[in-house]
Amino acid sequence: MERKCFSEAKEHLSAMEPADIAEGLEELSSTQMVLYFRLLPKDLAIEVFEVMRWDEQQRLIEHVTDKEVGEIIEDMSDDDRTVLLDELPAKTVKKLLLQLSPEERQLANRLLNYTEGSAGRVMTPEFIDLKKGMTAEEAVGRIRSVARKKETIYTCFVIDDARHLQGVVELEDLIMAGSKTEVESIMDDEPVYVNTTTDQEEVARVMSRYDLHTIPVVDKENRLVGIVTFDDVLDILEEEATEDFERMAGIQPVEDSYLDVNILTMARKRFMWLVICIITEAFTSTVLKHYSQTIQTVVALTYFIPLLIGTGGNAGTQAATLMIRGMTVGDITRKDIGKILLRETASGLLLGGALAVLGFARAMVLDTGFDVAMVLTFAVVSVVLMGNLAGAILPLIARALKMDPAIMSGPFITTIVDVFGLIVYFEIARMVLKT
Amino acid sequence: MERKCFSEAKEHLSAMEPADIAEGLEELSSTQMVLYFRLLPKDLAIEVFEVMRWDEQQRLIEHVTDKEVGEIIEDMSDDDRTVLLDELPAKTVKKLLLQLSPEERQLANRLLNYTEGSAGRVMTPEFIDLKKGMTAEEAVGRIRSVARKKETIYTCFVIDDARHLQGVVELEDLIMAGSKTEVESIMDDEPVYVNTTTDQEEVARVMSRYDLHTIPVVDKENRLVGIVTFDDVLDILEEEATEDFERMAGIQPVEDSYLDVNILTMARKRFMWLVICIITEAFTSTVLKHYSQTIQTVVALTYFIPLLIGTGGNAGTQAATLMIRGMTVGDITRKDIGKILLRETASGLLLGGALAVLGFARAMVLDTGFDVAMVLTFAVVSVVLMGNLAGAILPLIARALKMDPAIMSGPFITTIVDVFGLIVYFEIARMVLKT
């Protein structure tokens, strides 16, 4: 009976998508996970393992035999293996590497030696290589014979005896060509490629620009050493977008998903910018103490401090976000600075003017007198303009200093605008109220 | 001489990537653009046109003959054409549609009728369809004969006579199979698919989850009507990430790139949230007026208002960003609310405690007395905790109300924290200072 149950489960599992099986396994206890994992046909098991989250991969390999671990690690894609080995403790990695065949071990070690976040680190060497002189028929024959262990067969790479990249040929063109056509005559002999040291974000950008499923990666001597495929690009894009979101909120990039990160680690990642901001913000105390005479004379001025600096900060966050995102997707470059300043000045005056009317009305309703209302009006226009300009300029400065513009986070811009906004507010107050 | 020049230019252009040619053309004056565009071989010209920015496409079609426009529009990919027709003024669209062959016109009209942002709107009907009973050899033969007008030949779709989707087969499997093998036996008969009404963001998520190059799109009756390919996914992901960045900064999504949007439109997109925030922020004035007695007695309390509410807002922005991004990538769901509240409370106390030490030191340095320093200390812990909890809870509420959680933007959360933070600050002050 139990046996029948298992064979049914086996059949059921085999019809499912690897991503769905992986998700299902992740919900189970370790014992059950291992039980179901062992029901999977070998090939599917490897595929499922490849798409599991790395902490779940780790849980699984802790509960199966060393022999099984060896088989999984040996057969999984080289790029997925790099990711796993990256995350595991050094001791486990060492143990795992010893179980690999000498060939795979050498490969795994080589991939782990590329810098984190580089093309070398995310690529896989499992590509199909062809020679210039082959005919289309021979090429398809070679593809058929080596396809099983390759990441993709749809894009093939033409290399010479020294493994230099000479061209790229699509399977589509091989199939459409006459069987005697030489590969050389249908290949793209000026293919787009990246280097092992190219940043993964740049790899994704190039692939997206040229609509490539697969891109070749060459080493310093222009030898083809690997490929990056489109599924890697999707992962890279998601990872990089998350990093940008975090940076722009003043959080240092967190590697794992929210619920998996240790609370202390998360606090540490958030702490730095909170400290930078509170130290910068400390200047507002100096500013306010400096104007304490004015405050004591016209207490009503304090009523609008949060409204004023809040509005300036919001405008600044908006401008900075437009700027940073524009730079990330390539719409904005440094040479546009003139146009940008013009636009942000114009929209600062427009938005500031409209919001100032609301500020004026608010002050009148609160019965603080016409003079205070006028001070607030001018101050709102000024801080919105300041917010816009700070939001526009600071990310450009970061880029000019070769930093990620996203480092000019909303919180930081808000803080800067707070300090200068208050100075402007009280200077206007002094002039108008003659205190 | 000039002729030789042109033929050289022609040769040079033909060796370039379409994306690079498009970028080059976009830099030119309209006359030169047309001149160079006409040098391109027909197929390449269409490819170049497809990857041009839509406003540049518009500029080009305004400067070539109606006949040329007709040829371009007729031959371009159906999905790229939908995007172009979407952006053009209604009058131009009508004129262009008239120039299409009846078949293509009907198709263009049909695609334009799907909701914006749906799978129907981004799909192309240019897929390869096969029948169950075909052998692998027959299938490859069919692929060879129809490939030229198709978006991809690597994934083929098996349909019955009523065009119902029955399975998906990869070219790889057709090539690896024996020539007499039936398509039915190698196809995936439970393929992952989406509906014409599926949101494009969901399409991208599904394709990324299952590592698909191509996904079939079916209509209400489960008939295969189109496919979405991986290059579309990259565009969708970029577009959706930009929208999220904008929403989180309190900007309504802007369709064009920063420098192309009309200044008034951009101001309009930014205005709504600035107004919502300034109106909410107006409550801070009420709060401060309410405590004016306390302020007048201990002016030093005002020195720390920006520092206090700024810190709370920063913590709130951080927490909201982690939450919203976690929901977008699928790491966080509503059932995690207990864990989330626990985490944010813990990290709020941790971060708040650490920052409070800095706040205390700042007050002592500013010589405002031990009591005020203590008030600030307690207040900092409270606002950081409040920021964390508001940042965590508000996006979850938005999701529960079926809204995009990104609507709970940094500026909005900051504003909420400002209002409540001030109340807490002055209540603590009243208790400690007994004013």
Side-chain angles (χ1 to χ4, degrees), chain A residues 43-92:
Chain A
D43 284 357
L44 184 58
I46 302 288
E47 276 184 70
V48 168
F49 187 77
E50 285 172 352
V51 296
M52 282 168 76
R53 290 214 319 267
W54 79 265
D55 47 337
E56 296 293 335
Q57 290 178 329
Q58 191 173 6
R59 184 157 71 99
L60 183 69
I61 60 178
E62 276 166 7
H63 289 85
V64 294
T65 65
D66 282 359
K67 182 163 167 288
E68 283 172 308
V69 174
E71 282 173 7
I72 296 170
I73 305 287
E74 177 86 20
D75 284 346
M76 68 191 292
S77 272
D78 296 309
D79 49 354
D80 294 325
R81 183 168 58 207
T82 310
V83 175
L84 173 63
L85 295 180
D86 238 4
E87 298 284 357
L88 292 174
K91 226 171 114 181
T92 319

Side-chain angles (χ1 to χ4, degrees), chain A residues 205-310:
Chain A
R205 204 176 295 132
V206 171
M207 293 179 70
S208 163
R209 177 181 169 92
Y210 298 111
D211 284 345
L212 302 174
H213 300 77
T214 307
I215 198 166
V217 183
V218 301
D219 67 8
K220 281 198 298 286
E221 279 84 40
N222 196 34
R223 284 179 306 226
L224 180 64
V225 288
I227 57 172
V228 176
T229 51
F230 104 103
D231 52 320
D232 304 316
V233 173
L234 295 180
D235 294 342
I236 294 169
L237 288 177
E238 185 175 297
E239 204 180 297
E240 298 286 342
T242 299
E243 267 188 37
D244 277 354
F245 275 107
E246 288 168 350
R247 283 219 186 86
M248 283 167 75
I251 305 166
Q252 292 174 279
V254 181
E255 292 210 352
D256 292 314
S257 63
Y258 175 81
L259 290 170
D260 293 330
V261 184
N262 178 290
I263 294 191
L264 280 177
T265 309
M266 183 64 95
R268 204 159 35 77
K269 300 279 185 186
R270 296 175 55 175
F271 191 56
M272 189 184 81
W273 278 103
L274 287 175
V275 169
I276 293 177
C277 286
I278 206 172
I279 289 174
T280 316
E281 199 78 73
F283 287 103
T284 57
S285 309
T286 316
V287 172
L288 288 168
K289 192 177 180 187
H290 178 75
Y291 293 105
S292 60
Q293 199 57 51
T294 314
I295 294 175
Q296 233 146 4
T297 320
V298 192
V299 176
L301 283 175
T302 59
Y303 302 167
F304 306 106
I305 289 176
L307 182 147
L308 181 73
I309 61 179

Side-chain angles (χ1 to χ4, degrees), chain A residues 20 144 154 170 175 209-210 212 230 242 250 257-258 261 270 286 318 325 331 343-344 362 388, chain B residues 20 144 154 170 175 209-210 212 230 242 250 257-258 261 270 286 318 325 331 343-344 362 388:
Chain A
D20 296 326
R144 275 212 182 92
Y154 297 142
E170 283 281 310
I175 288 199
R209 177 181 169 92
Y210 298 111
L212 302 174
F230 104 103
T242 299
S257 63
Y258 175 81
V261 184
R270 296 175 55 175
T286 316
Q318 288 185 334
R325 187 65 191 159
D331 285 342
R343 291 179 76 94
E344 290 308 313
R362 179 69 189 133
N388 263 10
Chain B
D20 296 327
R144 276 212 181 90
Y154 297 142
E170 284 281 309
I175 288 198
R209 178 181 168 92
Y210 298 110
L212 302 174
F230 113 101
T242 299
S257 64
Y258 174 81
V261 183
R270 296 175 55 177
T286 316
Q318 288 184 335
R325 187 64 191 160
D331 285 342
R343 291 180 75 95
E344 290 308 313
R362 178 70 189 134
N388 264 12

Side-chain angles (χ1 to χ4, degrees), chain B residues 226-237:
Chain B
I227 57 171
V228 176
T229 51
F230 113 101
D231 52 321
D232 304 316
V233 173
L234 294 181
D235 294 341
I236 293 168
L237 288 177

Side-chain angles (χ1 to χ4, degrees), chain B residues 315-381:
Chain B
T317 303
Q318 288 184 335
T321 300
L322 289 170
M323 211 54 45
I324 293 168
R325 187 64 191 160
M327 283 190 235
T328 307
V329 302
D331 285 342
I332 294 175
T333 57
R334 242 190 301 162
K335 69 171 172 41
D336 300 317
I337 186 155
K339 267 186 267 178
I340 292 167
L341 293 183
L342 201 70
R343 291 180 75 95
E344 290 308 313
T345 306
S347 77
L349 291 174
L350 256 169
L351 292 169
L355 295 169
V357 174
L358 293 175
F360 180 83
R362 178 70 189 134
M364 292 309 278
V365 168
L366 222 58
D367 209 10
T368 56
F370 181 76
D371 283 355
V372 171
M374 282 314 290
V375 172
L376 183 59
T377 306
F378 288 123
V380 168
V381 179

Side-chain angles (χ1 to χ4, degrees), chain A residues 113-381:
Chain A
N113 274 327
Y114 291 109
T115 326
E116 206 166 320
S118 69
R121 194 65 162 263
V122 294
M123 72 186 186
T124 171
E126 297 157 311
F127 53 83
I128 293 183
D129 51 9
L130 304 173
K131 299 279 179 211
K132 265 187 182 176
M134 287 178 171
T135 62
E137 194 175 11
E138 286 166 350
V140 173
R142 175 165 166 77
I143 292 171
R144 275 212 182 92
S145 70
V146 299
R148 285 289 169 227
K149 275 286 289 173
K150 304 300 176 185
E151 187 86 5
T152 179
I153 70 163
Y154 297 142
T155 308
C156 304
F157 303 89
V158 182
I159 54 175
D160 62 15
D161 290 335
R163 306 196 65 78
H164 293 125
L165 178 64
Q166 299 188 301
V168 167
V169 64
E170 283 281 310
L171 177 60
E172 173 162 6
D173 296 319
L174 288 173
I175 288 199
M176 302 301 287
S179 57
K180 296 295 165 215
T181 315
E182 285 210 344
V183 166
E184 183 169 8
S185 68
I186 45 174
M187 74 182 190
D188 174 1
D189 58 1
E190 289 186 33
V192 179
Y193 63 89
V194 291
N195 295 300
T196 50
T197 52
T198 307
D199 187 88
Q200 61 173 10
E201 196 172 0
E202 177 65 16
V203 176
R205 204 176 295 132
V206 171
M207 293 179 70
S208 163
R209 177 181 169 92
Y210 298 111
D211 284 345
L212 302 174
H213 300 77
T214 307
I215 198 166
V217 183
V218 301
D219 67 8
K220 281 198 298 286
E221 279 84 40
N222 196 34
R223 284 179 306 226
L224 180 64
V225 288
I227 57 172
V228 176
T229 51
F230 104 103
D231 52 320
D232 304 316
V233 173
L234 295 180
D235 294 342
I236 294 169
L237 288 177
E238 185 175 297
E239 204 180 297
E240 298 286 342
T242 299
E243 267 188 37
D244 277 354
F245 275 107
E246 288 168 350
R247 283 219 186 86
M248 283 167 75
I251 305 166
Q252 292 174 279
V254 181
E255 292 210 352
D256 292 314
S257 63
Y258 175 81
L259 290 170
D260 293 330
V261 184
N262 178 290
I263 294 191
L264 280 177
T265 309
M266 183 64 95
R268 204 159 35 77
K269 300 279 185 186
R270 296 175 55 175
F271 191 56
M272 189 184 81
W273 278 103
L274 287 175
V275 169
I276 293 177
C277 286
I278 206 172
I279 289 174
T280 316
E281 199 78 73
F283 287 103
T284 57
S285 309
T286 316
V287 172
L288 288 168
K289 192 177 180 187
H290 178 75
Y291 293 105
S292 60
Q293 199 57 51
T294 314
I295 294 175
Q296 233 146 4
T297 320
V298 192
V299 176
L301 283 175
T302 59
Y303 302 167
F304 306 106
I305 289 176
L307 182 147
L308 181 73
I309 61 179
T311 304
N314 292 345
T317 304
Q318 288 185 334
T321 301
L322 289 170
M323 210 54 45
I324 293 167
R325 187 65 191 159
M327 282 191 237
T328 307
V329 302
D331 285 342
I332 293 176
T333 57
R334 243 189 303 162
K335 69 171 171 40
D336 300 317
I337 186 156
K339 267 185 267 178
I340 292 167
L341 292 183
L342 201 70
R343 291 179 76 94
E344 290 308 313
T345 306
S347 77
L349 292 173
L350 256 169
L351 292 169
L355 296 168
V357 174
L358 294 175
F360 179 83
R362 179 69 189 133
M364 293 309 279
V365 169
L366 222 59
D367 208 11
T368 55
F370 181 76
D371 282 355
V372 171
M374 281 314 291
V375 171
L376 183 59
T377 306
F378 288 122
V380 168
V381 179

